[in-house]
Amino acid sequence: MYAVNFLLLSAALFSIGVFGVIARRNAVMVLMSIELILNSVNLNLVAFALINKDIDGHIFALFVIAVAAAEVGVGLGMVLMIYRNRRSIALDELSEMHG
Amino acid sequence: MLLAAQETAAAGWFLENAWLIPLIPFVAFFVILLFGKKMPRGGSEVGIASMVAALVVAAGAAYQWIDRVDSSHGEEVEPVIRQWVWWQSGGTRFGIGEHIDGLAIVVLLLVAFISTLVQIYSTEYVKGDRRYTHYFASITLFSAGMLIMVLAPNMVQLILGWEIMGLTSFLLIGHWWEEKANSEAALKAFWTVRVGDVGLLVGTAVLLGIFGTLDIKGINDSAAAGQFGSHNALMWAAIALFIACIGKSGQFPLHTWLPDAMAGPTPVSSLLHSSTMVVAGVYLVARLYPVFHVGLEINAVGQTFNLIAVIGGITVIVAAALAFVQNDIKKVLAYSTVSQLGYMMMGLGVGAWTASVFHIFTHAFFKCCLFLAAGSISYTASHHSFDMKKDMGGLWKKMPITFGAWMVSTAALAGIPFFSGFFSKDEIIDSAKHADYTIFYLVGIVGAFMTIAYMTRATYLVFFGTPRGGAAHFMGVEHGLEHRDDHAHETLGHDDHSDDHADQSDHGHDDHPEPVRGRPFPFAKYDSPWKITAPLLILGTLAVGSGYLNAPAVGVHWFEHQTESSIGLPLAEHEADGDNAEQVSSEHAVDESVGAEDVGAAEHAADSAIYSVPEPPKFAWGAAAPGLLLVLAGFLVSLFLSLAVFGKRKNVLSPLVGITERNKLFGAGHRFLVNKLYLDHLYEKVIVHGVAYPVSKAAYWFNQNIIDGVVDGAGRSTKRTGEWVYRNIDQRLVDGAVNASGMVANESGHALQPVQSGKVNHYGALLFGAAAVGAIVLILLNV
Amino acid sequence: MDYSNNALLTIGTFLPLVGVLIMMFIPGSDERAHKQIAIITSGATLAVGIYTLIQFDYGNSATLQFAVNEEWIEVIKSNYIIGLDGISLPLYVLSMAVTFLVAVYTWNNVPDAGNPKAFLMLMLVLQVGMAGSFIAQDLILFFVFFELVLLPMYFMIGVWGGEDRQYASLKFFLYTMFGSALMLVAFLALFFQTGAESFSFEHLMAAGALIDHDVQVWIFAGMFIGFAVKVPMFPFHTWLPDAHTQAPTQGSVILAAILLKLGTYGFVRIALPMLPQGAHEWAPVIGILAVIGIIYGALGCLAQTDMKRLIAFSSVAHMGFVMLGISTLTTFGINAALFGMVAHGLITGMLFFVAGSIKHRYHTLEIKRLSGLLIQMPKMGWILGFAAMASLGLPGLAGFWGEFPVILAAYSPAFGVNEALFRTLMVIAAMGTVLAAGYLLWLFQRTAMGDPNPEFVSHDEPAQSLSAAANHGADADHHDEIHDVTIVEWIAWMPFLVAIVVFGVYPQLMFKVMDPAVIQLVERVGNGIP
């Protein structure tokens, strides 16, 4: 097993995710991209856990999954509210948080 | 819990329970305040009852004290002291309770007695006032405050009573606070006295530092025995405490509040000026006499003046001069009080303890009587006016009781022989001479001269001459209309008076339907109601009689005998054989005491204490003669002036004749004096309006503008400083520094604001950009 | 020490939280229920406080009573240690009484912003913090309670305050946080310098005195700033007038009555006994600043045109007396300081109550516009006069016992502190009493005496006012509001008034409780000074 395979895959996933976060206008797509980023990290964690014969990575990955689930839940809720209020989920139209 | 019970055994019920004397009025105050309005007589009955109860206990205590002194057979009489724990600090307990000795008994009786009379008087005087109940609550608390102070076994209780009086004087002077002038007078009184109180607080702190106790007996004993670390500290304590007395007793630099305090109701003035409040300062000096005596080295060898005597002396002269130019009857009396308090202070300053305390005693009766008489006049005769020139004159015919009481009290005040004031004041003057304070002897007799002068003037203006203004109306009602018309016609010639007069008459027609309210005595049906005249009669009697408790001229030393144990210092011993020539003997005694103080090893004084006060001098008519002659001179000069100045305008015939006649009679023996009076008559304008008035007025101007101006100016500039400091230092500098730091944070926030675009994508880009930079840095560092 | 692990103090301190919990589940629209719950809860708390008063062993007031020592945060060696002695007992009970009475006052005096639910909940939380500060015997516990007080007060000012409330609340918060930060550093320094063993007061008092002289001076400096901001002492006082002026009446009263005392209490309980040499070095500085505060606060008062701001400035002057007492390091001074804290709480609290009620009726506190209160509202006017008299230190009322013994103490400060300096300070402080009389009576004269301002006098006959009300209702309302003291106000104020008189007439009630504890404290300080 070569670590490099896992790392390449996760780097690719991560980059796709980053691209999605920065470039997509659709809020749902941005959330999906964040999921991609998180899962790329999960992949790394699990891979290194396997290589090092250590259970810590698995546990962390489980934590990340749980947190990611919660995050998506909250995120989708917010998207839903935004949609109800504005009939749109295009992120570039949102600038209420402008300082 | 009883703190300490010295001398409780067999002292007698009244002496042991003298603490009831202030407690009864104190409780009565709360009763009046809470339930007074619902009572049939608005709470006044509670006030009077409480004062009578206090008087009864005080009288019982006095009786038992006399018994105690008489049964002591010449031994030192111990005061009766009882204290209960009041507060504690550092394990030391401080008490509240009573300290009864001759001095306390005298003043307690005085306060209870005069308060009772004044309250009875007040039921008529302030009848129908909208704050009748408040008035009685305040005046009862006022008396309670004085009683608490007089009874104080320690400095803290003394301060308690002292300040209660300050508070209630504020309430009473400002009783009619709707008018700004009244509330300002109240404020001024409280504030001026409070300035003096700084000295009381500081002095008490110094006393605690020196002696380690606040008990008056402990302090006095230690001071008298010379048990203190540094004489310097004791001197400062004495000076600080005396500053408090200056404020309270209206002594020279701080006396300006007293005349203003006349804004209160007249019975209040009377109480405030006779037995309470202003006497408190003198009482404090008398109470802590060893501290002052030792601290200021009174009666030390070769001493020609000391702080207390100097302040007292200045006050005597300045206040008497001021009294001479007043038009308001109450202000004449106010300055007169200031002047008499100056006598008391001066007496204490020259070692004449007994004479000064006795002067407190006699002065209270006649001064109270004078004020009540003035109130009686304004109440019945002059439309609530106190202006002697506008609203009085010729009243002796219609107000026999008021007139009689006034005359007797005036005689007492002026120190005419066989009236009470003579016995006390003359002894102060005499003592100053015997204790080698020649300056103050001269001040004393000049003061006596001025005293009779201003009182003669006031008496003339009030009771003699032509009735004017309110008084004319009062007299005119009885005389029938035509008389008043005549009178109006008469006065029309004088442009400066006619306008006022016309105003007053108009006012009077509308406003004064019945000449007298209440029930007068049957033999004086035009005088004031009996509730006003009865106190006048009692006080007038006492203005004569009270002097005979200690009348050296007729060989009575009873008062001295009762109180001498309160001095706290031993009397210098007389030579046993020195009864042939009084003067020589007492002077000798003074030398002796002085010698004992300095050398300490004089064989005569081997067993006596280190410090002592001189024995009161033996009375001799020869010694009193210069003063009496001056009194006579003062009377004549003033009478002459009054007739010339005030009488001539009103009545064309009699004063001119009277003056010339008197001048010729008098001038036979005293050419110089007569000549001067001729000059005075001839150059009336020059002398009266050219010299006497400018000088007195200058003094008054100095008083009102310089001294008063300093007080006002100090207040004003303090306020201005406060405003400046607040505006510039507080708001700009101190607060500015605070605001500036907030501003910096705020500005930097603004500078960073554009970064917060509100776009999630931007945030994401920033985040990952930062992460990338971070990662690169990490990699670089690692390599 | 004997830890009886008695639950009484814990109950007394945390009971208000029960009320908060209940209120959480009741909708905010039911205002009456919230007020009732708040009054009942704070009343029950006060009842526990009174029970504590009864149970307290007065013969033994120098030792901690009802002490508890339970594990709390073991990892930083902080324990839940609480206890009550003669120093903290009066303040502990005072905080309960004040909260209860303020809750009663709120019955028909809810500040303009409304929402009594949130307001009362914050107030109850505030009470937990205040009571907790006075019973804590562990530095971290103390710090937590000390900071717990901050937030509710911030919201009280920021939400229910006057026009400039946001500025004032922020200033209050930041200023106090600044002080707290330095204070925390000082606490930690103290902890590590004493061997990082325990945060308990008992340990720190024993071990703190052994720290190097110079180190003590520096640690004391940190604590000094932290507590001095809260007191507030002279250069750190500028948050106080703003906070007081903008705060709602209830906030002002609590702020004046209890919050300021946390600072002075901190000096007495923590700074002095734990760092005796530091205290000894700093005493002249504290004394000088205190006296500057006395004079300066008085001058500030003279310059004010707003009644509430004037009262706020007077706090600076009064706390100056308290701090001067503490700086003498004598039993006299510290006793007086403790007495002064309670007295100032009662008196200034009362003054703020009156100011609030006047504002409620006249909608202004401009001194120039107010006049003749004694005619329009005689009872209110006399209460104002009474409180002013008490505030200027009249003997027979509580204020005197916080000032007079301080002056006595300043003549001879303890442990070789510069006598000449303190004697000068004594004289200046005594002059401060004159200024106090000046500004308070001047205030009383201008607002209460004289004739009422025509602006606020209704000239209408009753019959006419009906039609006037119909025509322009707002104006008529305005006049109707000027009425004398209401029943609710009487209930809320009477205990203050009675306490001012009772403690003034018989101060031994409090001195007797405090004195043994203070003697022990001063001994402890003395032992720490070589």
Side-chain angles (χ1 to χ4, degrees):
Chain A
M1 256 189 287
Y2 293 109
V4 71
N5 297 338
F6 294 104
L7 287 178
L8 281 177
L9 177 60
S10 82
L13 282 175
F14 187 85
S15 305
I16 295 167
V18 169
F19 173 78
V21 168
I22 294 172
R24 299 308 296 240
R25 292 172 60 222
N26 189 318
V28 179
M29 292 308 283
V30 172
L31 278 178
M32 306 281 280
S33 306
I34 291 171
E35 285 302 301
L36 273 185
I37 295 172
L38 290 173
N39 281 317
S40 74
V41 176
N42 277 350
L43 198 59
N44 272 359
L45 286 171
V46 175
F48 283 109
L50 274 176
I51 292 167
N52 292 339
K53 307 277 189 242
D54 187 3
I55 196 125
D56 288 0
H58 301 293
I59 293 167
F60 262 108
L62 282 172
F63 260 115
V64 172
I65 290 165
V67 172
E71 181 236 308
V72 167
V74 174
L76 282 176
M78 282 167 66
V79 169
L80 207 63
M81 289 300 291
I82 290 168
Y83 180 74
R84 276 191 195 153
N85 284 331
R86 310 172 65 98
R87 296 276 141 202
S88 151
I89 50 170
L91 282 181
D92 52 354
E93 290 169 16
L94 289 171
S95 61
E96 269 82 359
M97 282 164 69
H98 181 68
Chain B
M1 192 184 341
L2 203 61
L3 179 63
Q6 293 109 318
E7 282 301 313
T8 44
W13 189 88
F14 285 107
L15 287 177
E16 279 172 30
N17 295 294
W19 50 271
L20 285 169
I21 300 170
L23 191 68
I24 294 167
F26 191 73
V27 172
F29 161 72
F30 288 100
V31 173
I32 299 172
L33 203 64
L34 295 175
F35 310 110
K37 282 201 173 139
K38 292 173 193 118
M39 292 180 180
R41 288 173 191 272
S44 61
E45 64 269 56
V46 178
I48 293 172
S50 72
M51 291 322 303
V52 169
L55 181 60
V56 168
V57 180
Y63 177 78
Q64 291 182 341
W65 175 259
I66 293 164
D67 202 42
R68 190 179 168 87
V69 173
D70 290 347
S71 61
S72 70
H73 305 299
E75 286 167 32
E76 185 75 5
V77 190
E78 284 290 317
V80 182
I81 299 173
R82 290 180 89 191
Q83 292 196 65
W84 290 266
V85 178
W86 193 20
W87 61 293
Q88 66 175 61
S89 188
T92 320
R93 286 175 174 169
F94 297 89
I96 186 167
E98 60 173 44
H99 173 126
I100 289 278
D101 59 3
L103 175 63
I105 288 281
V106 169
V107 185
L108 283 175
L109 256 184
L110 204 61
V111 174
F113 181 72
I114 288 187
S115 300
T116 310
L117 289 185
V118 166
Q119 289 211 3
I120 291 169
Y121 181 98
S122 299
T123 54
E124 179 70 36
Y125 192 86
V126 295
K127 193 162 67 184
D129 191 271
R130 94 195 70 155
R131 282 187 290 279
Y132 189 78
T133 304
H134 279 168
Y135 173 84
F136 277 94
S138 304
I139 206 163
T140 308
L141 182 64
F142 190 57
S143 303
M146 185 69 187
L147 294 170
I148 289 171
M149 197 205 93
V150 171
L151 212 56
N154 59 49
M155 289 304 290
V156 188
Q157 186 178 337
L158 191 136
I159 293 173
L160 172 72
W162 183 280
E163 295 285 343
I164 288 178
M165 270 191 285
L167 162 73
T168 41
S169 69
F170 173 79
L171 295 175
L172 288 168
I173 293 168
H175 183 68
W176 293 309
W177 40 253
E178 283 88 348
E179 271 175 55
K180 190 124 199 268
N182 295 346
S183 66
E184 268 171 2
L187 204 63
K188 184 173 175 181
F190 191 90
W191 212 58
T192 314
V193 172
R194 192 83 188 175
V195 169
D197 290 352
V198 171
L200 187 61
L201 297 180
V202 171
T204 305
V206 180
L207 285 182
L208 180 68
I210 298 172
F211 299 111
T213 176
L214 290 174
D215 284 351
I216 285 170
K217 187 166 189 333
I219 291 171
N220 279 351
D221 289 351
S222 303
Q227 293 162 351
F228 45 82
S230 105
H231 185 271
N232 217 14
L234 191 66
M235 184 187 76
W236 282 111
I239 291 174
L241 290 172
F242 188 64
I243 288 172
C245 302
I246 289 176
K248 203 76 167 181
S249 285
Q251 297 296 296
F252 170 58
L254 294 177
H255 67 275
T256 52
W257 66 270
L258 260 175
D260 285 25
M262 292 300 118
T266 308
V268 171
S269 309
S270 149
L271 187 58
L272 194 131
H273 278 233
S274 57
S275 60
T276 57
M277 189 80 180
V278 293
V279 171
V282 184
Y283 181 81
L284 174 60
V285 179
R287 179 82 284 176
L288 287 172
Y289 199 57
V291 171
F292 290 95
H293 192 269
V294 176
L296 297 173
E297 295 179 317
I298 293 167
N299 295 335
V301 76
Q303 191 192 47
T304 49
F305 57 84
N306 58 55
L307 181 70
I308 298 181
V310 166
I311 295 287
I314 293 174
T315 311
V316 168
I317 299 297
V318 169
L322 292 168
F324 199 76
V325 293
Q326 302 303 320
N327 291 336
D328 184 319
I329 183 171
K330 278 173 79 180
K331 286 199 176 168
V332 174
L333 297 177
Y335 279 116
S336 157
T337 306
V338 174
S339 177
Q340 296 304 309
L341 290 166
Y343 269 111
M344 297 172 201
M345 282 297 185
M346 196 173 86
L348 290 167
V350 299
W353 189 92
T354 310
S356 290
V357 170
F358 191 54
H359 198 50
I360 295 179
F361 183 70
T362 55
H363 173 258
F365 294 119
F366 58 72
K367 187 49 63 68
C368 184
C369 184
L370 285 171
F371 268 107
L372 295 184
S376 163
I377 292 161
S378 105
Y379 182 80
T380 303
S382 66
H383 287 296
H384 301 281
S385 162
F386 289 101
D387 195 315
M388 295 189 295
K389 280 190 177 161
K390 283 184 188 162
D391 289 309
M392 294 179 193
L395 290 170
W396 69 274
K397 284 182 216 157
K398 293 285 173 191
M399 304 186 83
I401 297 175
T402 307
F403 175 63
W406 172 280
M407 288 311 285
V408 168
S409 303
T410 302
L413 170 62
I416 291 172
F418 308 113
F419 290 91
S420 65
F422 169 73
F423 299 116
S424 51
K425 196 154 76 173
D426 186 70
E427 188 153 331
I428 293 177
I429 296 169
D430 215 19
S431 300
K433 189 177 173 191
H434 280 278
D436 286 334
Y437 289 98
T438 319
I439 306 168
F440 299 109
Y441 167 69
L442 294 174
V443 166
I445 56 174
V446 171
F449 170 83
M450 295 167 88
T451 306
I452 184 122
Y454 66 71
M455 283 316 290
T456 306
R457 172 178 171 275
T459 307
Y460 178 82
L461 279 170
V462 174
F463 288 104
F464 298 97
T466 325
R468 299 168 294 274
H473 185 242
F474 169 68
M475 306 289 281
V477 166
E478 321 307 322
H479 279 253
L481 270 170
E482 67 282 5
H483 181 275
R484 195 164 71 243
D485 287 346
D486 276 14
H487 170 63
H489 182 70
E490 236 173 81
T491 51
L492 264 176
H494 299 282
D495 36 29
D496 56 340
H497 278 256
S498 56
D499 290 350
D500 298 327
H501 178 69
D503 286 347
Q504 285 295 340
S505 299
D506 288 349
H507 181 65
H509 284 300
D510 301 330
D511 213 33
H512 201 65
E514 84 281 31
V516 165
R517 290 181 288 167
R519 192 180 304 139
F521 272 124
F523 54 88
K525 60 178 176 174
Y526 303 119
D527 210 323
S528 300
W530 71 268
K531 281 179 194 162
I532 287 181
T533 43
L536 283 178
L537 283 173
I538 296 170
L539 287 166
T541 314
L542 284 167
V544 184
S546 65
Y548 291 91
L549 294 181
N550 200 47
V554 291
V556 179
H557 294 279
W558 186 80
F559 185 88
E560 185 188 327
H561 177 59
Q562 297 298 335
T563 56
E564 65 187 1
S565 65
S566 312
I567 303 176
L569 290 164
L571 293 171
E573 281 170 40
H574 267 289
E575 292 280 288
D577 55 337
D579 58 342
N580 42 1
E582 299 90 343
Q583 230 165 307
V584 174
S585 131
S586 56
E587 267 174 10
H588 196 74
V590 172
D591 287 346
E592 190 109 9
S593 79
V594 161
E597 186 176 329
D598 258 22
V599 183
E603 62 267 50
H604 289 292
D607 57 339
S608 73
I610 319 168
Y611 303 97
S612 60
V613 290
E615 179 103 330
K618 290 254 165 66
F619 182 83
W621 283 104
L628 290 175
L629 281 178
L630 270 175
V631 167
L632 183 63
F635 171 68
L636 291 172
V637 167
S638 176
L639 181 69
F640 190 82
L641 274 173
S642 301
L643 285 170
V645 179
F646 310 116
K648 197 198 88 178
R649 297 184 172 184
K650 308 292 181 288
N651 194 327
V652 185
L653 289 173
S654 58
L656 276 174
V657 173
I659 285 165
T660 43
E661 278 179 0
R662 277 175 181 276
N663 270 338
K664 278 172 186 164
L665 273 169
F666 216 75
H670 304 271
R671 249 177 84 189
F672 179 66
L673 206 61
V674 173
N675 274 339
K676 214 177 175 190
L677 290 170
Y678 265 125
L679 278 172
D680 180 55
H681 183 60
L682 288 169
Y683 301 100
E684 186 197 89
K685 297 278 178 197
V686 178
I687 292 168
V688 174
H689 293 284
V691 181
Y693 273 58
V695 171
S696 303
K697 283 222 164 109
Y700 188 55
W701 180 88
F702 177 74
N703 176 57
Q704 293 299 92
N705 292 285
I706 309 290
I707 302 176
D708 215 18
V710 168
V711 175
D712 288 350
R716 226 175 281 133
S717 60
T718 313
K719 182 173 171 289
R720 225 170 278 151
T721 319
E723 274 166 1
W724 187 86
V725 168
Y726 172 71
R727 226 181 301 118
N728 291 301
I729 297 185
D730 189 62
Q731 291 296 302
R732 281 197 201 147
L733 207 72
V734 183
D735 207 18
V738 177
N739 286 337
S741 60
M743 203 100 87
V744 168
N746 194 2
E747 289 300 320
S748 51
H750 272 292
L752 288 171
Q753 205 178 21
V755 181
Q756 298 277 54
S757 65
K759 300 248 162 63
V760 179
N761 310 54
H762 289 185
Y763 294 165
L766 276 174
L767 189 69
F768 290 116
V773 171
I776 289 166
V777 169
L778 275 179
I779 290 166
L780 285 177
L781 283 180
N782 238 3
V783 173
Chain C
M1 182 165 303
D2 173 36
Y3 293 105
S4 57
N5 285 2
N6 190 320
L8 192 59
L9 290 185
T10 311
I11 295 173
T13 305
F14 291 103
L15 194 59
L17 287 183
V18 177
V20 173
L21 272 179
I22 298 170
M23 286 161 83
M24 244 182 224
F25 295 106
I26 294 175
S29 53
D30 193 357
E31 297 191 351
R32 210 182 149 79
H34 285 292
K35 288 173 186 168
Q36 281 167 344
I37 293 170
I39 291 172
I40 291 168
T41 316
S42 52
T45 314
L46 180 60
V48 175
I50 290 168
Y51 183 70
T52 316
L53 271 183
I54 296 165
Q55 290 293 306
F56 193 81
D57 176 8
Y58 291 94
N60 223 348
S61 66
T63 53
L64 284 181
Q65 304 187 18
F66 316 110
V68 176
N69 187 355
E70 294 284 344
E71 246 176 37
W72 187 38
I73 316 176
E74 209 192 344
V75 68
I76 56 166
K77 293 175 181 159
S78 171
N79 276 19
Y80 180 75
I81 309 174
I82 55 172
L84 208 58
D85 68 358
I87 293 176
S88 42
L89 180 73
L91 291 162
Y92 177 69
V93 179
L94 178 72
S95 75
M96 294 171 165
V98 167
T99 306
F100 171 65
L101 296 172
V102 166
V104 170
Y105 181 79
T106 312
W107 182 257
N108 56 9
N109 285 298
V110 180
D112 290 339
N115 195 356
K117 174 180 178 180
F119 187 74
L120 290 167
M121 278 165 69
L122 284 174
M123 210 165 78
L124 292 176
V125 173
L126 194 60
Q127 160 63 20
V128 176
M130 294 188 300
S133 302
F134 293 129
I135 58 163
Q137 297 292 326
D138 178 285
L139 265 191
I140 296 297
L141 190 65
F142 174 82
F143 189 76
V144 168
F145 280 125
F146 193 84
E147 295 301 303
L148 180 62
V149 166
L150 208 54
L151 220 56
M153 188 44 82
Y154 169 73
F155 284 115
M156 267 185 161
I157 300 172
V159 178
W160 287 272
E163 287 130 35
D164 218 5
R165 56 181 176 267
Q166 281 173 351
Y167 170 73
S169 58
L170 203 65
K171 195 170 178 179
F172 163 73
F173 193 81
L174 291 180
Y175 223 134
T176 323
M177 279 306 281
F178 161 74
S180 300
L182 285 176
M183 193 173 82
L184 186 61
V185 172
F187 284 179
L188 293 177
L190 182 64
F191 175 66
F192 288 114
Q193 286 291 331
T194 52
E197 283 171 22
S198 165
F199 274 107
S200 85
F201 285 5
E202 203 189 357
H203 167 72
L204 292 176
M205 282 181 202
L210 306 174
I211 303 176
D212 227 31
H213 173 268
D214 293 349
V215 181
Q216 280 202 28
V217 172
W218 281 105
I219 300 178
F220 195 93
M223 286 196 194
F224 169 74
I225 292 178
F227 290 133
V229 166
K230 201 83 171 188
V231 171
M233 288 187 72
F234 158 62
F236 309 113
H237 67 276
T238 53
W239 64 267
L240 181 86
D242 285 319
H244 264 313
T245 317
Q246 298 304 326
T249 305
Q250 291 88 337
S252 294
V253 173
I254 295 179
L255 196 58
I258 313 293
L259 250 63
L260 304 186
K261 276 72 200 178
L262 293 179
T264 41
Y265 176 78
F267 272 110
V268 174
R269 173 65 83 196
I270 295 171
L272 256 49
M274 292 184 194
L275 299 163
Q277 294 183 46
H280 186 244
E281 289 293 314
W282 276 85
V285 180
I286 300 177
I288 290 170
L289 289 179
V291 169
I292 293 177
I294 294 172
I295 300 298
Y296 186 89
L299 291 175
C301 283
L302 286 171
Q304 298 311 315
T305 55
D306 183 282
M307 190 168 155
K308 211 170 170 187
R309 210 171 162 81
L310 191 154
I311 301 168
F313 254 99
S314 79
S315 285
V316 177
H318 285 124
M319 295 316 274
F321 271 104
V322 172
M323 288 313 297
L324 179 62
I326 293 174
S327 71
T328 63
L329 304 178
T330 56
T331 48
F332 261 85
I334 295 174
N335 265 323
L338 291 169
F339 201 104
M341 288 185 216
V342 176
H344 173 262
L346 295 169
I347 295 164
T348 310
M350 194 58 236
L351 280 171
F352 275 120
F353 265 138
V354 172
S357 287
I358 289 173
K359 170 109 184 177
H360 193 72
R361 289 163 171 77
Y362 288 84
H363 302 285
T364 182
L365 283 171
E366 259 316 281
I367 296 172
K368 269 187 203 144
R369 288 175 66 197
L370 297 170
S371 177
L373 294 186
L374 281 175
I375 291 178
Q376 285 187 310
M377 309 184 288
K379 285 175 184 132
M380 182 86 78
W382 285 118
I383 291 174
L384 173 66
F386 174 82
M389 285 292 174
S391 182
L392 64 83
L394 200 79
L397 300 175
F400 176 72
W401 300 104
E403 287 181 5
F404 174 65
V406 169
I407 290 171
L408 293 186
Y411 183 77
S412 38
F415 313 126
V417 176
N418 189 341
E419 274 195 355
L421 171 73
F422 269 84
R423 284 177 189 178
T424 316
L425 295 180
M426 167 187 80
V427 175
I428 301 174
M431 287 175 182
T433 62
V434 180
L435 292 174
Y439 62 75
L440 284 162
L441 290 184
W442 196 36
L443 169 77
F444 183 63
Q445 187 217 4
R446 283 181 295 174
T447 57
M449 294 177 161
D451 289 320
N453 187 344
E455 205 184 329
F456 301 114
V457 179
S458 173
H459 296 290
D460 302 333
E461 296 296 322
Q464 280 177 311
S465 72
L466 278 176
S467 61
N471 291 339
H472 32 91
D475 238 31
D477 269 1
H478 188 71
H479 294 313
D480 286 346
E481 280 170 20
I482 296 171
H483 49 81
D484 214 334
V485 186
T486 62
I487 291 178
V488 171
E489 283 168 341
W490 272 126
I491 296 170
W493 296 353
M494 199 40 100
F496 278 87
L497 301 173
V498 169
I500 290 171
V501 173
V502 167
F503 286 129
V505 171
Y506 192 57
Q508 178 70 357
L509 280 178
M510 219 187 304
F511 278 123
K512 196 181 162 194
V513 181
M514 300 183 309
D515 198 37
V518 171
I519 293 173
Q520 197 191 43
L521 181 97
V522 171
E523 261 173 27
R524 199 166 256 159
V525 175
N527 291 339
I529 298 170

